[in-house]
Amino acid sequence: MSQQSINAPRPGDDEENASDAVTGGQTFASAQGADDLLDEIDAVLEENAETFVRSFVQKGGE
Amino acid sequence: MRRRVGGLETEFGLVCVRADGTRALEPEAAARELFRPVVAQGRSSNVFLRNAARLYLDVGSHPEYATAECDDWWDLVAQDAAGERILAELVGSANARLAEDGQDARIHLLKNNVDSQGNAFGSHENYLVDRRGEFTRLPRYLLPFLVTRQIVTGAGGVVVDRPLGEPTAPGTPRFVFSRRSDHMWEAVSSATTRTRPIINTRDEPHGDPTRFRRLHVIVGDSTRSEVSTHLRFATTDLVLRLIESGRTLPELALADDIAAIRVVARDLTGAEPLELAAGGTTTALEVQQRWLDLASTVAEPAEQGVLETWQKALDAVRTGDRSWAAQHLDWAIKERLVSQVVERRGVALDDSVIERLDLGYHDIDPSGSVFASLCRRGLAPAVLDEERIAAAVTTAPASTRAHLRGQVVTAALEHGVDHVVDWTTLRLTRSGSAPVQILDPFQTRSDEVDALLARIRGGGAPTPGAV
């Protein structure tokens, strides 16, 4: 069986690393990261959340 | 079994909406649009792919992807991730066609297990077990493990509990390890759609029935985190190995598996007492810890990482310290995200915004989904490197029978040769071509398959009318 390190994010995927270096503050960077994330997610949530949820009705499978 | 073959079948939820969120296409029509390129190539909506996986439309227009046989659980995670890529590509091209056609319609595929009205669809794990093993003895030991496994591998989510028989009464929303737990009605049975069991006993070995049996576990949530998916298989495999080893096992049979699975889902401390069949009580944490401690006696050196990760997952529940879990395990990633959004927007747990967030987490869109946003920031794990996932899109696992099927499908598609394959059988549709049967899931070489490949490559001019 192959071994994988499960703690490392995929290299190159984490753009925050670059801004960490610039701002120099780990705490600041991660708080900033959470805010960025929530800003980005807001776009999904503000797009007719309730109507979208109601539209997702499908017969059961399995 | 020291080497075990396993596979994962995932049914996806499908919704096609206009820009305003209203439904643009019924699921049947959306599924037809999604599968247009599949049908064009394979003349069927039920095909085997170059990576030896099966792709088809299941009951209820659920697109379903079943990974090829894997004997390494990181291979399985790669094959599963490949399935997401393949389907995401189909979504992308279907949405491009709809847009070109001037339609206000966008398809979303959701790797989750329930729609907004509570209709369920599955994520079914398959494990090869020895036919001679006592299948009747197996559930007694496996069930307590499966009932409590959700504290490690659950996908998390919100359920609303209402007083019995009052479906419109105000409910109490709460965050749970697994929403799937509320859709389990039996411990062991042959049903899947009506009274859904934890272990399904349909006896379809997809191999030599005198040697093999397939254990079909249907209690799992669809997982997005590669760590969660890996743990589902790696821990269950270790427990099966322990049961097969014949050593003394913990007698943890629960008095009521279905009552217990719902208690476990709702108890984020893992410490709620669960009644044992033999009297006395245990807890979800205790059941998991007992199996983990025992597993260390059968784990191979290469599996030390599995034991460590399993322990970290249990520690996150025991101590309440989510710092590792909230970046690695689906339920904890989602728990943190939900609490952040609840706080930021000042909404209740059962607000439709939170349900939309949950759907966004399970949306397989590789760029626009909530899960993709988390991955980009290192807030959800991406263990496998890009090359391994990209390879799994076109290449079957090399160490199982899937290797043979993958070669045949790949050659047949390249040479435009009509073929029909299933899990055990490979055949060309031209007359006079004998089917080749591979009844050993571990077989990776076959003279008969080599001969079949030679025929495909030799006399492979496309038959009239072939695509």
Side-chain angles (χ1 to χ4, degrees):
Chain A
M1 295 204 178
S2 57
Q3 286 269 47
Q4 292 282 342
S5 155
I6 57 155
N7 293 310
R10 194 171 294 152
D13 264 12
D14 186 3
E15 289 156 20
E16 292 309 309
N17 284 341
S19 61
D20 279 3
V22 175
T23 57
Q26 185 62 44
T27 318
F28 173 73
S30 59
Q32 179 88 52
D35 278 350
D36 282 357
L37 172 76
L38 295 174
D39 286 344
E40 196 171 304
I41 287 174
D42 269 346
V44 174
L45 300 185
E46 274 156 14
E47 238 175 67
N48 313 296
E50 194 178 348
T51 319
F52 183 98
V53 167
R54 272 207 311 264
S55 293
F56 178 37
V57 176
Q58 196 175 359
K59 284 186 201 114
E62 317 217 15
Chain B
M1 287 185 160
R2 215 189 59 72
R3 257 183 89 208
R4 188 187 313 283
V5 158
L8 178 56
E9 307 165 21
T10 306
E11 290 177 16
F12 292 83
L14 175 65
V15 62
C16 181
V17 292
R18 300 189 184 91
D20 65 5
T22 56
R23 181 184 278 201
L25 290 177
E26 296 297 308
E28 295 71 25
R32 239 188 340 268
E33 189 56 49
L34 188 71
F35 269 60
R36 207 178 283 284
V38 179
V39 174
Q41 186 176 57
R43 265 163 289 167
S44 164
S45 59
N46 177 1
V47 298
F48 278 82
L49 306 171
R50 285 178 295 169
N51 67 1
R54 182 182 174 205
L55 176 67
Y56 60 112
L57 274 179
D58 200 10
V59 191
S61 297
H62 290 276
E64 177 156 343
Y65 174 87
T67 70
E69 305 89 329
C70 301
D71 71 343
D72 172 290
W73 308 130
W74 284 117
D75 271 354
L76 182 135
V77 174
Q79 291 291 327
D80 184 56
E84 284 184 30
R85 296 268 170 108
I86 290 162
L87 280 160
E89 196 135 306
L90 287 173
V91 172
S93 69
N95 283 337
R97 288 193 302 277
L98 290 167
E100 232 169 76
D101 206 30
Q103 295 199 48
D104 176 13
R106 192 170 172 79
I107 293 172
H108 294 261
L109 266 196
L110 308 163
K111 193 187 188 192
N112 71 342
N113 304 104
V114 62
D115 73 6
S116 67
Q117 288 194 342
N119 299 307
F121 40 101
S123 173
H124 298 178
E125 295 154 54
N126 299 296
Y127 301 91
L128 194 74
V129 294
D130 199 309
R131 172 68 61 177
R132 289 165 308 178
E134 299 161 64
F135 199 80
T136 44
R137 171 177 171 270
L138 197 143
R140 177 163 131 221
Y141 296 104
L142 190 60
L143 278 168
F145 166 75
L146 291 176
V147 164
T148 55
R149 189 184 64 165
Q150 55 177 311
I151 72 172
V152 175
T153 61
V158 174
V159 298
V160 180
D161 286 326
R162 293 190 169 83
L164 205 64
E166 295 176 48
T168 53
T172 313
R174 62 182 100 225
F175 191 87
V176 295
F177 284 115
S178 165
R179 293 176 69 184
R180 178 86 175 152
S181 298
D182 284 6
H183 297 273
M184 290 290 129
W185 297 99
E186 282 184 284
V188 181
S189 89
S190 61
T192 57
T193 49
R194 281 176 309 113
T195 56
R196 210 166 290 114
I198 294 169
I199 298 173
N200 176 279
T201 53
R202 248 186 324 190
D203 191 3
E204 295 169 4
H206 296 315
D208 180 350
T210 65
R211 294 174 60 200
F212 304 115
R213 180 158 183 154
R214 179 177 66 137
L215 174 70
H216 199 47
V217 172
I218 68 174
V219 69
D221 288 315
S222 285
T223 37
R224 296 300 318 272
S225 154
E226 293 174 357
V227 176
S228 296
T229 306
H230 186 257
L231 278 175
R232 283 165 74 186
F233 279 83
T235 61
T236 306
D237 175 26
L238 282 165
V239 169
L240 288 174
R241 229 180 298 160
L242 278 165
I243 296 171
E244 291 162 347
S245 73
R247 64 188 80 192
T248 313
L249 298 171
E251 293 295 342
L252 295 167
L254 298 167
D256 183 339
D257 293 299
I258 299 308
I261 204 168
R262 293 175 190 170
V263 169
V264 173
R266 285 161 174 75
D267 168 31
L268 297 179
T269 70
E272 189 84 21
L274 307 172
E275 259 182 75
L276 291 167
T281 60
T282 184
T283 67
L285 268 169
E286 187 185 3
V287 173
Q288 286 293 308
Q289 192 67 55
R290 292 277 293 277
W291 281 112
L292 166 52
D293 293 345
L294 260 184
S296 62
T297 63
V298 291
E300 313 259 316
E303 289 171 304
Q304 290 309 309
V306 173
L307 301 177
E308 283 163 26
T309 311
W310 191 354
Q311 187 64 63
K312 278 192 210 172
L314 297 185
D315 291 345
V317 178
R318 181 179 292 113
T319 64
D321 177 355
R322 307 281 205 250
S323 44
W324 175 83
Q327 294 192 29
H328 292 90
L329 301 177
D330 276 314
W331 71 265
I333 298 169
K334 203 186 277 179
E335 181 193 42
R336 175 185 277 180
L337 189 61
V338 164
S339 73
Q340 284 171 336
V341 172
V342 160
E343 189 184 335
R344 178 175 163 107
R345 302 176 74 98
V347 294
L349 262 184
D350 57 350
D351 195 286
S352 52
V353 159
I354 301 301
E355 196 167 350
R356 180 69 187 89
L357 178 70
D358 197 327
L359 295 178
Y361 187 87
H362 290 276
D363 194 322
I364 64 165
D365 179 345
S367 57
S369 78
V370 170
F371 191 77
S373 297
L374 287 159
C375 274
R376 268 199 300 277
R377 292 174 168 76
L379 298 170
V383 179
L384 297 176
D385 56 39
E386 184 53 39
E387 293 73 37
R388 187 157 177 188
I389 298 174
V393 170
T394 55
T395 315
S399 49
T400 69
R401 172 175 68 189
H403 177 61
L404 298 171
R405 185 184 316 113
Q407 285 178 293
V408 168
V409 172
T410 302
L413 289 175
E414 264 170 25
H415 291 82
V417 173
D418 287 348
H419 59 285
V420 180
V421 308
D422 62 26
W423 295 110
T424 54
T425 310
L426 310 162
R427 170 168 85 79
L428 306 185
T429 42
R430 66 172 70 141
S431 60
S433 180
V436 177
Q437 238 191 1
I438 309 287
L439 290 175
D440 179 356
F442 293 103
Q443 189 176 339
T444 55
R445 284 207 40 79
S446 155
D447 292 342
E448 285 175 290
V449 171
D450 287 346
L452 191 66
L453 287 168
R455 275 207 300 286
I456 291 171
R457 289 170 183 143
T463 47
V467 179

